[in-house]
Amino acid sequence: MTDGTNPPSSPQPEPAPGSGYGFPPGPPAQNGYGYPAGGGGHGYGYPQFDQQPNPYQQEADGGQWPPAAQAQPAQPGFTRLAGPDVPGASQQPDWEAMAERSDAERRKKKTKLWMLGGTVTVLALLAGGGTFLLLGGKGGADRTDAKPSTQASPEAEESKSPQVYTATVAGDDTLLRDSYGQTGIRLGPDLKIGPVGKRFQVIGKGSSNSWGQSAEPVVDVTKSFTITARAYSSATKGSRIVMSQGDGESYSFELGVNEVNDKQAWIFRVQTGDKGAEATTRTVTAEGLTVLKTPTLLMATYDAEKKAIALYVDGKKAGETPVPSIWQAPGPLQLGRSRHHDIWTGPWQGGLHNIKVYDSAFTQEQAAGYKEGKLSPAPKPAHAWLLT
């Protein structure tokens, strides 16, 4: 019989009928329980020298055991020895259960260590990523999409089903929503919002009221920039401006349609002087392309380091020309018109959408990638309206 400290070296045999408890068959001891009684008296396992009767000894005449005391439940992790349920019987540890609990504890510790290591790794990566973003700056193509301060970006909106992209500011159907910045564009009476696929465009009638205007300038023409829009012109003749900036005597830049050699052509034009004179005008032209009723992706850039402007049509470079600098005309961004000698010109006729402004000059490779939707990493617009 064990005292519960160490496991038995081998299992004990089941008692055979008519035999002692856990010993080879044979006649029971005359007066003791499992061991010979000593001193001629009654013994319980070891020699006893008092003459007190053993309450667990069977009567000499073959009487039965006295009623057993109420058995006590085993403690968790222990099991009773096989045999008579007698008071004071020792409890044997359940080694298998204890081993399972020990394994479970080890697994928990390993899991905690793994989770702690994973958390440290993630924090390190986040810290490294934050450092990269801080060091990245705005040189060349931006690395991340900005989160607009008042409105979610269209990408974020689409990921939060069932929210739907909206072209205008909530509660004002005449103010185009800036998806990346905070500058809305107020629509004139004849520049209306209409559908284009599952999204929106603005449609101009070619009248003097076919315009849109921001509350403030959105392009810093003293630094590199890119402007882009998808255009559909339904005008058969005349000057038709997609966008420009300035509302004083002249514009800083204008992008749109003009007649060149008696044919319509896409143009990007800038002013280097404050009077809008022809001598201070620089223009890049895309001739020989179909303009009328042809969906077209337009992109114009100014590289402040190279001191050059460029025009891209459907991702292809139409031309480039050097400029000393661009005159910073007073006034906001314009849709559907341009300022010439204190007069509004070039009312837009047709549709416009996917209008964006970037704080960097796209390269030829970036312009081609933008057209195919394969520009990676995608640069961040400073402003955007009517996205698709």
Side-chain angles (χ1 to χ4, degrees), residues 1-2 15 21 33 44 54-58 64-74 79-92:
M1 182 176 297
T2 180
Y21 178 59
Y33 179 59
Y44 179 60
N54 185 351
Y56 302 107
Q57 178 67 42
Q58 284 187 319
Q64 300 298 314
W65 291 79
Q70 181 67 35
Q72 298 298 318
T79 182
R80 288 192 182 277
L81 287 170
D85 188 9
V86 294
S90 64
Q91 290 182 324
Q92 174 74 7

